[in-house]
Amino acid sequence: MRSGRERVNAVAVCGGGGRDAVSVQEGPSGGRDARGRGPRRRGRPTCRRLRNEAGQFISVVTLFETQGAASGGPSASGQGNQRRGRPPRKPRKRRVAVTTELTLFEMVALGRSSVQTAVEEWVQSYKEDRELALLDLISFFVQCCGCEGVVTAELYQSNQGKSVVHKMTEKFDQETGLYYKKFLAYPWILTIMWPEKLQNDFYPIVGPGPFWKRFRVNFCEFTELLVHLTHSSVLCDGHLMDTVICMLSGLTNSAVYSLRHTSSLAAMKLLTALASVNQGICTGRRTAQRLYEIESITKLKGRHKYYMELLDQRRHQFQNKPMAIDNIICALFKRTFVPRYRDVSSDIRVICMGELGCWIRLYPDMFLDNNYLKYIGWMLYDKDANVRMKCILALKALYEKRESAMKLGLFFHKFKKRILSMTQDQQPEITSECMQLLRLISEHYVGVFSAMEYVFLFQFVYAAYRPMATAAGELICRRLLAPPPHEGFFGQEPPDEFDRNLQNMKTLIDFYLQGEFHRHVPYLVDGLWEAAPALVRNWECMTALLLEPRGGRQALTSQQERVLIEILVAAVRQAAEGRPPAGRRLGKKGAREVDGTRRWREHANMSRHFVKVLPRLLSKFAADKEKVTPLLQIPQYCNLDVYDMDGLGSYLDAALLELDCLVQRHSDVAVLEACARAYGTYCDEGGSAHGQAAPACSRLVDMLVDVLTPLLDVFIQHEKQGLFLGHGEMGRICSTLRRLAAFYSTHDLSGWNLYEKMDSLLTFRRHQGSLPTEVVHCALQCTYYALLWQIVAATDRLPSQEALLDLRKRLLKFCLACRVYLSHQSKVLSEKGPEEDTGLGLLFFVPDHVLQCKLLTFVREHVFLEDAGAAGGRVYREEDADELHELFHRRNMLAVFCKLIVCNVLEMSAAAAVYQFYLKHYHHFGDIIKETMTRTRQNDRLRNALSLLLCLQQLFQKHVDTYGLGSDPIEFICGPFYSIRLLARRFALTLGFDSARDAAHLIHRRGLAFAFSESPVPEEEARQRFPNLSFLLVLAEFSCKIPPAERAAALAHFQDSIPEGVPVFGEGDMNPMLAYRKSLMRTDYVVQGEEEPAANPFDAICKDSKRPQELPVGTCSTWTPDTLAGCAAGDREPRSCSSKERKPKRDIFDVDFLSSEDSENSSNEDVDVEGISVQEGASD
């Protein structure tokens, strides 16, 4: 080492991956290089290490390329000497050697094979001249940081003393515009200079595209190979790693992110390679020691002494090296990892935590200690999800091995609460990995969790994220459904698999009944679908339990049977459909698709089993409607072709006989509808069961019609005579009508002419007298289904004109009956009225103004209740089932009403009455109302804008009528008027972004006309003369939707629209006209010296106070009714037309802007309204 004088070496750092100089020589055809010296090594390009003008080591690489030239073929001039009658010879390839000089950076960028060559050549150059080789390595790391400058190395003088501290600086030179950093990398003081800003914040390890991604991999491999190829030679020479550690520690402490990120990655990868190498050395040392001990015990003759000397030499060879590498690891860990594991950048923290997990796995002798594990425990509290995920994955890898898991007892005791709380993390991927970690912990430690903690973990089997539910299901299988470990001692034989499955099924049923969790059986089955396939797919076990006779050894209670039937039906549905229940989200990777052949075989076996067992199940539970109703769903999930393939026709007869008995035995609507759907499944045309099921269904309907006809005749005759039927006859009429209505919903019963009978009943009620509510209800249902089946028939095959007129006449007659019952005192009939109108849009029926007013009144009185708005984001418990069921009813009625608006059955202006409750009832009906706004905007954007404006005008008028024409500024900020402004702000957001121009201009033009309208009654005061002037504050919320280029025209139109005699009230931003004018002013045209107006008129007043929340109610809970019958409420904008198809712009403030031509040309395409779902009732 030269210590007597200073020396300065300047090494240029290239900014790209280009080549310096290329010389092309035509080499011989043999395997020699361009200069004809030495044989070429196979498998890699030839490479020689030289020095360039800057003193930097470069690699001269010879690449061989081929150039084709046909021997005997045509020449370049187009003439050839090809012989006649023979095909041309194949072109003879000539090899051309391309020699290029590449730096270390460029060699790494070439590819994986070049990385190996680069490391080997650099090690060789280090042995020749280690100072220049280290400068070459330092410049490589600096170039990988993205610096396009110069690295200057100044030899460090030991007698400088404290002055060297002042040289460790990082400053920006304003004169040269360069950013430079000085730091100590013994024996040099390195100076790096680069421009102030890197181009597009680009540096190699984060570059886009596959090339830079491969470069990052090659960079990491280079650092690891550097350790693996030098650990036996120069790694512990006291010079190489000292310089590298000083260099990396200096770069990791930089304020420049690219330097800090790249050097941190290099340091962590170096530590990983050192840990791997040292673990291999320690393993070899232990092996040598063990062999030496074994050899010393055996004491073989002959070669024993020579062999003992070799083993002893090998022991001493491994004795000191691990200690030296441990010192290097400790120094690098303290100077790079400790400052950077809590870096402000989450990317660097992710690298540190990921590599720390690798170190613990690779070198547990050193890193599997609480001094290193504490960093993982601390970073479990990190705010970044990727960092927390790396920590969980590191712990999961440690707990997968029992040897390492046994050493983590103290660590888990300290961080147990945090790991348990991470099962409720915001990121679902972290929750699933954490649940798998807890499952591994429970397997290694006995009694680590209390009973309440297990109860807390078991409930996640109902989680909405499927990997999380599956992980919880695995925990349930391990801790709850596992067989007893000591069963079978003392001469007792262990139970067979079938008995064990029976016991586990009982345990699962008791777990569901005793747990205070959600009552969602499909979620429980899906959580156990992959974790316990032998349990939830064991059809023989479940049916054996259900068919066990009363008082048997394995008999279940009635409640247990009900739960088992729900589990059975949910498992059958998932086996048939192959997808999780609604509302459960799959992971990012998704579940692997089961082999089609295997799935078909499993479905066939399931169908074959239930075809035989289903009649016995229906027969046993025929008397219990709660148990037989879900069992009737099984046929629709089975493959009914097994009746013909396996000769199981007798079981079909038995199933149809049981269905017939159930229809005659029960009068409950749920059972009858389930029977009708089961008949529909059997009667499917083209199915193997159609030939037997269709005649059976026809016979059943014939019987019901034969029973109903005489009863109706007797009833009408008695009513005409003023007599009354007994309760028995009236009950038979109601039960028969209920059965026919259930079958009419799934089967076309037009051949029995039931419409005439129902029409006679409704006509008699309207002219003669009153009928029982249930009879009228069933008659309305039958008439409704009859009209729908006629509409379906008319759609499939166009009937004659007379038939269409007759159908329209029947429709109008039915609507008249619905209008009568809309205001009925019975809640069943009044709620049924608007629901029946959902299918009327197919016949282009437009209700008159009276019917629309009645529908609006009905929605206000029965949907938007005052106490419901105050409930806000309330979480409904199990004891609130009645209130929740009532909420479902109200949501269904609102969805039906909104469908009428979307389908253009009702006028779009009717939606204004619904939009008024958007904020007040946001948590209960916000999704339905927002979806209605989206669909109406897709139908006609301008009419939708007018409906929004009409809603605001109605609310403003109601406010004026209630509170008067107040001008108090506090009222404009936090009073009832402020809620109108919040609603206007929400409406402005629903207009969209790209196509909101026309709608915003229309709202402003019509809004100005409303604001400047004069009172019809002459008033002396100007304030009373213009009562709607404060509406400008509401209108200002829509100014953000006007493009900045058109705000000047809008402002000019506003100035021209101001009538004479308009009063001025309020000061500053409380003046409506001033606030509206400021909302239209363009901020880039503000005069110098004038204060820029606020983006919102009230920001100047509210800037010192806390901004109130936009929603006056609490935040939405994790399980609210919004998730049960919700709609997709995204603002889907139609694609804008191309520039060629775009119409020329007109003046938006023309009087004829919204002309009839625009109304006719507006979008009136058919809109899919399936997003607004209508539920039949409360579901699980």
Side-chain angles (χ1 to χ4, degrees):
M1 178 177 178
R2 305 179 181 89
S3 58
R5 66 180 184 273
E6 292 187 357
R7 185 181 62 185
V8 178
N9 294 326
V11 181
V13 178
C14 301
R19 298 173 177 175
D20 297 335
V22 179
S23 60
V24 182
Q25 299 178 0
E26 185 176 337
S29 60
R32 303 179 64 83
D33 59 13
R35 298 186 181 182
R37 296 182 304 177
R40 180 173 60 88
R41 291 176 290 179
R42 299 182 63 85
R44 68 176 67 171
T46 58
C47 180
R48 294 176 291 108
R49 297 287 291 180
L50 300 175
R51 294 180 185 173
N52 56 11
E53 297 178 356
Q56 186 180 15
F57 277 104
I58 58 175
S59 296
V60 180
V61 181
T62 303
L63 304 175
F64 290 94
E65 299 180 356
T66 60
Q67 292 184 357
S71 178
S75 61
S77 62
Q79 299 177 357
N81 54 357
Q82 178 181 350
R83 290 176 293 179
R84 294 183 180 179
R86 292 186 181 183
R89 295 180 181 179
K90 294 183 178 180
R92 183 176 298 174
K93 297 181 180 179
R94 294 183 300 172
R95 309 190 68 183
V96 177
V98 180
T99 304
T100 179
E101 298 178 356
L102 301 178
T103 62
L104 199 59
F105 177 86
E106 294 166 345
M107 288 288 290
V108 172
L110 278 179
R112 189 166 186 175
S113 60
S114 300
V115 174
Q116 179 80 14
T117 305
V119 176
E120 291 177 356
E121 298 295 340
W122 183 87
V123 172
Q124 186 64 29
S125 64
Y126 178 82
K127 294 178 180 179
E128 297 175 1
D129 190 342
R130 66 181 186 182
E131 293 183 359
L132 286 179
L134 285 175
L135 284 178
D136 189 13
L137 183 64
I138 292 172
S139 65
F140 164 72
F141 281 111
V142 172
Q143 192 173 0
C144 291
C145 296
C147 296
E148 301 178 1
V150 176
V151 179
T152 303
E154 178 184 355
L155 193 64
Y156 169 64
Q157 298 292 330
S158 59
N159 56 2
Q160 289 179 354
K162 297 182 181 181
S163 61
V164 72
V165 180
H166 300 286
K167 295 186 177 182
M168 307 302 110
T169 56
E170 184 172 343
K171 294 182 179 180
F172 172 68
D173 191 354
Q174 295 183 357
E175 296 180 358
T176 60
L178 295 177
Y179 197 92
Y180 69 93
K181 176 180 177 61
K182 276 189 176 183
F183 60 94
L184 176 65
Y186 192 83
W188 298 286
I189 299 175
L190 299 179
T191 304
I192 306 174
M193 293 178 291
W194 66 93
E196 178 185 5
K197 276 192 175 182
L198 300 179
Q199 185 176 3
N200 297 328
D201 296 331
F202 165 82
Y203 51 100
I205 67 169
V206 297
F211 175 80
W212 294 113
K213 291 180 180 179
R214 287 194 300 269
F215 178 83
R216 180 185 173 109
V217 175
N218 296 337
F219 174 75
C220 298
E221 185 180 0
F222 174 85
T223 56
E224 294 177 357
L225 283 175
L226 186 64
V227 175
H228 285 288
L229 296 181
T230 59
H231 77 276
S232 59
S233 55
V234 297
L235 182 66
C236 302
D237 62 350
H239 188 78
L240 171 63
M241 292 309 298
D242 290 349
T243 304
V244 172
I245 291 174
C246 289
M247 182 264 300
L248 291 179
S249 63
L251 293 178
T252 53
N253 292 327
S254 173
V256 181
Y257 177 69
S258 62
L259 271 66
R260 200 167 68 250
H261 187 196
T262 307
S263 58
S264 298
L265 178 62
M268 300 304 112
K269 290 298 179 181
L270 279 176
L271 271 171
T272 303
L274 289 170
S276 177
V277 167
N278 214 21
Q279 180 62 22
I281 294 175
C282 293
T283 303
R285 183 180 60 182
R286 286 193 294 265
T287 303
Q289 180 66 27
R290 187 166 58 253
L291 290 175
Y292 183 82
E293 294 174 356
I294 294 174
E295 194 69 24
S296 62
I297 294 174
T298 57
K299 294 182 179 181
L300 298 177
K301 297 181 180 180
R303 299 176 59 186
H304 170 69
K305 184 177 180 181
Y306 176 72
Y307 193 55
M308 288 289 291
E309 291 178 357
L310 289 179
L311 291 177
D312 187 58
Q313 183 180 0
R314 188 177 180 183
R315 274 196 316 147
H316 288 292
Q317 182 182 0
F318 286 123
Q319 188 171 4
N320 297 326
K321 188 169 292 186
M323 186 178 298
I325 296 180
D326 285 347
N327 294 334
I328 296 174
I329 291 176
C330 292
L332 191 58
F333 182 87
K334 292 180 180 179
R335 299 183 65 174
T336 58
F337 177 86
V338 174
R340 295 279 69 80
Y341 85 94
R342 57 181 184 272
D343 193 274
V344 68
S345 171
S346 61
D347 295 334
I348 298 179
R349 300 199 302 271
V350 166
I351 293 173
C352 292
M353 290 299 106
E355 296 303 320
L356 179 58
C358 294
W359 306 337
I360 299 175
R361 293 197 308 272
L362 293 174
Y363 194 17
D365 296 344
M366 179 179 182
F367 287 100
L368 191 56
D369 186 79
N370 292 328
N371 292 326
Y372 297 97
L373 291 172
K374 63 183 181 182
Y375 296 105
I376 295 181
W378 292 342
M379 299 309 289
L380 289 174
Y381 297 89
D382 196 274
K383 62 181 180 180
D384 189 79
N386 295 325
V387 179
R388 300 195 301 272
M389 175 63 81
K390 287 293 183 180
C391 296
I392 291 295
L393 292 178
L395 292 176
K396 182 182 173 184
L398 295 177
Y399 277 102
E400 287 177 350
K401 298 180 180 179
R402 186 167 182 81
E403 296 79 8
S404 58
M406 291 297 100
K407 301 179 182 180
L408 297 174
L410 181 60
F411 170 82
F412 181 72
H413 177 73
K414 289 183 177 181
F415 297 99
K416 176 181 177 180
K417 288 185 177 180
R418 175 55 185 166
I419 296 177
L420 285 174
S421 65
M422 290 183 71
T423 55
Q424 297 176 313
D425 197 273
Q426 295 180 353
Q427 298 296 326
E429 294 82 6
I430 296 179
T431 60
S432 61
E433 296 293 340
C434 185
M435 182 59 66
Q436 296 180 16
L437 172 63
L438 292 172
R439 177 183 58 81
L440 293 173
I441 292 173
S442 65
E443 293 177 0
H444 294 301
Y445 303 119
V446 178
V448 66
F449 298 120
S450 63
M452 293 303 298
E453 288 171 343
Y454 272 121
V455 169
F456 169 74
L457 296 177
F458 289 162
Q459 69 173 338
F460 290 102
V461 76
Y462 301 99
Y465 188 61
R466 198 183 189 213
M468 177 65 171
T470 303
E474 294 176 356
L475 180 63
I476 291 175
C477 294
R478 295 282 185 180
R479 309 306 304 175
L480 195 63
L481 304 180
H486 301 293
E487 195 169 8
F489 286 135
F490 305 107
Q492 298 179 3
E493 296 183 0
D496 57 3
E497 184 178 358
F498 186 78
D499 292 341
R500 187 164 60 250
N501 286 333
L502 290 178
Q503 189 63 34
N504 285 338
M505 183 59 67
K506 287 185 177 181
T507 305
L508 181 62
I509 295 172
D510 293 337
F511 161 74
Y512 178 79
L513 290 175
Q514 297 174 6
E516 299 178 357
F517 308 136
H518 308 289
R519 299 298 183 182
H520 294 295
V521 172
Y523 281 68
L524 175 63
V525 172
D526 183 65
L528 298 172
W529 193 254
E530 302 294 340
L535 184 63
V536 295
R537 306 185 204 180
N538 197 334
W539 319 117
E540 292 81 5
C541 174
M542 288 187 277
T543 53
L545 277 176
L546 290 175
L547 294 175
E548 183 75 18
R550 303 290 182 183
R553 185 174 63 90
Q554 301 288 351
L556 303 176
T557 63
S558 178
Q559 191 176 15
Q560 289 176 337
E561 288 177 345
R562 181 181 56 81
V563 175
L564 181 56
I565 289 174
E566 293 181 7
I567 293 175
L568 175 65
V569 175
V572 169
R573 183 205 62 80
Q574 187 149 349
E577 297 180 353
R579 62 174 183 270
R584 174 153 283 178
R585 296 179 290 117
L586 298 175
K588 289 184 177 179
K589 297 182 179 179
R592 291 184 178 180
E593 291 293 336
V594 183
D595 184 26
T597 306
R598 176 187 171 189
R599 181 178 174 184
W600 176 85
R601 190 183 301 112
E602 291 180 355
H603 189 216
N605 294 335
M606 181 196 72
S607 304
R608 193 177 298 107
H609 173 76
F610 281 104
V611 160
K612 300 176 182 179
V613 178
L614 184 59
R616 297 166 57 191
L617 292 174
L618 295 178
S619 177
K620 180 179 180 180
F621 300 105
D624 195 335
K625 63 179 181 180
E626 293 184 357
K627 297 176 183 177
V628 77
T629 302
L631 287 175
L632 291 170
Q633 302 176 17
I634 293 179
Q636 62 182 324
Y637 301 120
C638 293
N639 183 13
L640 301 182
D641 294 336
V642 296
Y643 284 117
D644 286 345
M645 293 187 298
D646 299 336
L648 302 175
S650 60
Y651 294 101
L652 177 59
D653 295 335
L656 294 176
L657 181 61
E658 293 297 333
L659 286 177
D660 185 86
C661 296
L662 287 174
V663 172
Q664 298 183 28
R665 183 171 186 172
H666 289 276
S667 59
D668 185 74
V669 176
V671 179
L672 294 175
E673 290 179 351
C675 290
R677 285 192 292 268
Y679 266 114
T681 303
Y682 284 118
C683 296
D684 187 16
E685 295 184 1
S688 59
H690 176 74
Q692 296 175 252
C697 183
S698 298
R699 288 193 299 268
L700 180 59
V701 176
D702 287 337
M703 183 195 67
L704 295 176
V705 173
D706 293 342
V707 172
L708 179 64
T709 302
L711 288 175
L712 288 181
D713 295 340
V714 173
F715 171 74
I716 294 176
Q717 185 177 2
H718 278 66
E719 287 290 334
K720 290 180 179 179
Q721 296 177 0
L723 303 177
F724 298 96
L725 284 179
H727 292 286
E729 288 79 1
M730 188 59 65
R732 291 179 62 188
I733 293 177
C734 293
S735 61
T736 307
L737 284 175
R738 201 179 297 118
R739 292 183 177 91
L740 288 173
F743 273 82
Y744 224 150
S745 62
T746 55
H747 301 266
D748 188 4
L749 305 182
S750 302
W752 282 268
N753 198 18
L754 291 176
Y755 176 81
E756 301 296 339
K757 297 180 177 60
M758 300 302 107
D759 184 63
S760 62
L761 269 179
L762 296 177
T763 305
F764 175 80
R765 156 68 178 84
R766 192 163 59 251
H767 294 92
Q768 299 294 332
S770 61
L771 289 176
T773 302
E774 191 171 3
V775 174
V776 177
H777 183 207
C778 294
L780 282 172
Q781 280 188 321
C782 290
T783 308
Y784 171 64
Y785 291 132
L787 289 173
L788 286 183
W789 283 112
Q790 293 180 29
I791 292 173
V792 171
T795 305
D796 296 339
R797 183 178 180 181
L798 186 62
S800 61
Q801 189 70 17
E802 296 179 356
L804 285 177
L805 293 176
D806 182 64
L807 182 57
R808 182 173 181 82
K809 182 179 179 182
R810 291 182 178 183
L811 175 63
L812 295 176
K813 194 174 184 180
F814 176 70
C815 290
L816 180 60
C818 290
R819 180 183 301 181
V820 172
Y821 291 110
L822 187 61
S823 57
H824 197 274
Q825 59 183 356
S826 175
K827 190 176 181 180
V828 176
L829 295 181
S830 61
E831 291 180 357
K832 203 66 180 178
E835 186 176 347
E836 307 305 334
D837 291 338
T838 55
L840 304 183
L842 297 175
L843 293 179
F844 307 99
F845 172 77
V846 180
D848 56 9
H849 182 70
V850 178
L851 180 56
Q852 293 190 28
C853 293
K854 286 188 176 182
L855 289 174
L856 281 174
T857 305
F858 173 82
V859 170
R860 289 196 192 98
E861 294 177 355
H862 293 79
V863 175
F864 301 106
L865 306 179
E866 293 296 332
D867 54 349
R874 171 187 174 186
V875 179
Y876 287 87
R877 307 292 181 183
E878 186 177 356
E879 57 270 12
D880 302 330
D882 295 338
E883 298 183 19
L884 192 58
H885 183 75
E886 181 66 23
L887 176 61
F888 285 144
H889 261 299
R890 292 190 284 124
R891 284 178 60 86
N892 292 340
M893 289 186 288
L894 178 62
V896 170
F897 181 79
C898 293
K899 274 189 177 182
L900 296 177
I901 298 175
V902 171
C903 295
N904 298 323
V905 178
L906 298 179
E907 296 179 359
M908 197 174 294
S909 59
V914 177
Y915 296 162
Q916 298 177 8
F917 303 95
Y918 181 53
L919 289 184
K920 185 176 182 181
H921 297 266
Y922 181 81
H923 289 277
H924 289 165
F925 311 107
D927 53 344
I928 300 177
I929 298 176
K930 188 174 182 180
E931 182 68 13
T932 305
M933 295 180 187
T934 304
R935 299 301 179 88
T936 53
R937 186 179 71 248
Q938 292 175 355
N939 288 353
D940 193 330
R941 182 177 297 275
L942 300 181
R943 297 296 179 186
N944 173 66
L946 290 179
S947 64
L948 297 178
L949 181 62
L950 178 61
C951 172
L952 296 174
Q953 291 174 353
Q954 291 175 355
L955 287 175
F956 179 81
Q957 194 65 41
K958 183 179 179 181
H959 173 77
V960 171
D961 296 340
T962 305
Y963 300 98
L965 300 176
S967 58
D968 188 3
I970 302 300
E971 178 185 351
F972 294 152
I973 299 175
C974 57
F977 185 80
Y978 183 70
S979 62
I980 305 177
R981 188 173 67 88
L982 287 180
L983 185 61
R985 184 181 303 170
R986 284 298 186 93
F987 287 170
L989 294 177
T990 62
L991 293 178
F993 298 97
D994 299 334
S995 305
R997 167 182 171 273
D998 296 348
H1001 280 299
L1002 180 62
I1003 289 176
H1004 278 272
R1005 190 172 65 85
R1006 295 293 180 89
L1008 290 176
F1010 175 78
F1012 293 132
S1013 60
E1014 299 185 15
S1015 175
V1017 180
E1019 299 288 347
E1020 296 181 358
E1021 296 184 4
R1023 183 73 178 90
Q1024 300 292 335
R1025 181 183 172 189
F1026 298 95
N1028 303 331
L1029 197 59
S1030 299
F1031 189 75
L1032 292 175
L1033 297 174
V1034 178
L1035 201 61
E1037 299 294 338
F1038 293 91
S1039 298
C1040 59
K1041 292 300 177 180
I1042 297 180
E1046 300 176 0
R1047 291 185 183 179
L1051 186 60
H1053 177 79
F1054 166 68
Q1055 298 291 346
D1056 296 340
S1057 302
I1058 300 176
E1060 297 181 358
V1062 175
V1064 178
F1065 63 94
E1067 297 179 358
D1069 290 331
M1070 289 300 98
N1071 186 346
M1073 298 182 62
L1074 180 60
Y1076 184 74
R1077 185 182 68 85
K1078 284 187 175 182
S1079 68
L1080 291 176
M1081 289 179 63
R1082 295 186 60 183
T1083 56
D1084 51 344
Y1085 287 154
V1086 177
V1087 182
Q1088 187 176 3
E1090 181 181 353
E1091 185 180 358
E1092 182 177 349
N1096 191 296
F1098 302 97
D1099 287 346
I1101 298 179
C1102 301
K1103 62 182 179 181
D1104 297 330
S1105 61
K1106 185 178 179 181
R1107 185 178 181 180
Q1109 297 181 358
E1110 293 189 1
L1111 292 180
V1113 292
T1115 57
C1116 188
S1117 61
T1118 56
W1119 181 59
T1120 61
D1122 300 340
T1123 62
L1124 301 179
C1127 311
D1131 289 339
R1132 293 182 292 273
E1133 298 289 345
R1135 296 183 179 179
S1136 58
C1137 59
S1138 60
S1139 59
K1140 296 181 180 180
E1141 300 174 354
R1142 196 169 297 165
K1143 296 182 179 180
K1145 294 184 179 180
R1146 296 182 296 160
D1147 188 0
I1148 203 69
F1149 292 101
D1150 288 344
V1151 178
D1152 59 343
F1153 171 70
L1154 188 61
S1155 60
S1156 59
E1157 180 183 356
D1158 292 334
S1159 302
E1160 294 175 359
N1161 294 336
S1162 59
S1163 176
N1164 287 322
E1165 300 178 356
D1166 294 336
V1167 179
D1168 182 17
V1169 295
E1170 293 300 325
I1172 307 180
S1173 57
V1174 180
Q1175 305 288 337
E1176 293 296 336
S1179 61
D1180 292 333

